[in-house]
Amino acid sequence: MAEDAVALKNKGNDAFKAKDWPGAIEYYTKAIELNDKEPSFFTNRAQANIKLEAYGYAIADATKAIEINPDFIKAYYRRAVANTSILKHSDAIHDWKVVVRKNPADKTAKAQYEACQKMVKRDAFLKAIEIADAPSAAEGLDLENMIVEDSYDGAKLKDEMTQEFIDDMIERFKNGKKLHKKYVFQIILAVKELVYNEATMVETKVAPDHKLTVCGDTHGQYFDLLEIFRLNGFPSEKHGYLFNGDFVDRGSWSCEIALLLYAYKMLFPKFFFLNRGNHETDDMNRMYGFEGECKAKYNERVFKLFSESFSALPLATLIGDKYLTLHGGLFSDDAITLDDIRKLNRHNQRQPGQAGLMMEMLWTDPQTAPGRGPSKRGVGLQFGPDVTKRFCEKNGLEAVIRSHEVRMEGYEVEHDGRCITVFSAPKYCDSTENKGAYINIESDYKLQFNKFDAVPHPDIKPMAYANNGMSSMMGM
């Protein structure tokens, strides 16, 4: 029995090395079923869960390993990483402290402990200075008199966005060049106003001879975004796109993705849609690189304006009265209807917080078991096929389309066809061997699924702009 369990663990390790995280979890789980007294089985599974961003599960596994062996340093390590990843710094700090005490020579753990202490202090500071109606970062920004130097070699932007400007921008970004700050400010401010005036749930139909493409998370993977456009066609008045949140963070071209998507929103405001994701939020941007990237490529004001524009984004899009598209998923209460989403005043609450409708729309995940369960992420909750069925029937929907999670094939149809996940960042973070996908919808409202592979990109690692040690943790 013990030998069989070790053999299964070794198979799990092989799957892990091949970056097949779900396969690794399956083997570790089988090993645990044969022998639930070996802490390393739990810490190995915790690490695979961390790779899948199932931080809640990782915390539970690490805790179990600590119960079996309170001196098992790796378990404290794993739990600290998982808690840090979901911004529970005050929980993480206790485990980092244990690791440093038990293994004072571990420089990475020491750096993490120090970074975590800074995070706890910064969180407290930000909370203390939080102002409900803080002035906009646009105040005092004199765009009209901002000079674009003669030495700037890019296309010029007047009052209206043009296809020529976008074409030039795509090439600039490919070649590692930046936009002039004046244009960056101009684009963000224009889109902030456009999306602020949209409904919390945008409602759109697909006209005859038109097409709408739904994309999931792109996470700063700019070259893979261009691959979608290359394979599937660039946005136009007859070919709309809906990007379902998580444009930024993790990947190191988040500024480029956000600016390109915003430029298309300016050019085609009625055919190009953007839903907010859980990474279009301040605390995630501080942790996962977007704030650092904005500061490195432009300045802090650019980040603050992006932050204001993110909090103005719609939370959902209803396609042809058939498909509710939102980043995370469904709700803790069966009584919620589309009308509740319509009535939600998202402008009263800039950040999603720890509870409520906005948090659930951005954070929840489907599960295979009926009913509702605790979140595998440690944030939000999980909802079963019966929850999805009731919601769709009550609201006259064919399905819910959501993103928020890696799928190895780029998409997955679950809950008897009523819950569809689409994820558009192939080879996610350069460390998961997943495909990307997008969904085309024409006027017959049939879903056409398309998969694609990652393309090469310049040698800049994911999380290159995360300044809090997260990039080093990703390799653990």
Side-chain angles (χ1 to χ4, degrees), residues 286-305:
R286 288 191 197 109
M287 190 74 181
Y288 287 99
F290 185 55
E291 181 184 45
E293 187 181 331
C294 287
K295 287 178 180 173
K297 291 178 180 174
Y298 297 103
N299 59 27
E300 185 170 16
R301 190 177 220 166
V302 165
F303 172 68
K304 286 187 168 165
L305 286 172

Side-chain angles (χ1 to χ4, degrees), residues 256-271:
E256 288 77 4
I257 282 198
L259 288 167
L260 180 56
L261 297 183
Y262 274 26
Y264 273 125
K265 179 67 182 170
M266 272 179 85
L267 187 61
F268 303 118
K270 296 279 184 281
F271 305 100

Side-chain angles (χ1 to χ4, degrees), residues 152-156 163-173 179:
Y152 181 70
D153 62 351
K156 306 291 188 279
Q163 187 64 57
E164 290 72 26
F165 186 87
I166 290 180
D167 293 343
D168 179 73
M169 179 191 210
I170 286 171
E171 289 306 312
R172 286 188 77 72
F173 290 164
L179 285 190

Side-chain angles (χ1 to χ4, degrees), residues 5-6 9 31-32 35-43 65 68 72:
V6 170
K9 182 199 80 166
I32 287 165
N35 178 9
D36 62 0
K37 297 290 181 282
E38 173 49 57
S40 67
F41 295 175
F42 288 96
T43 52
I68 297 165
F72 196 46

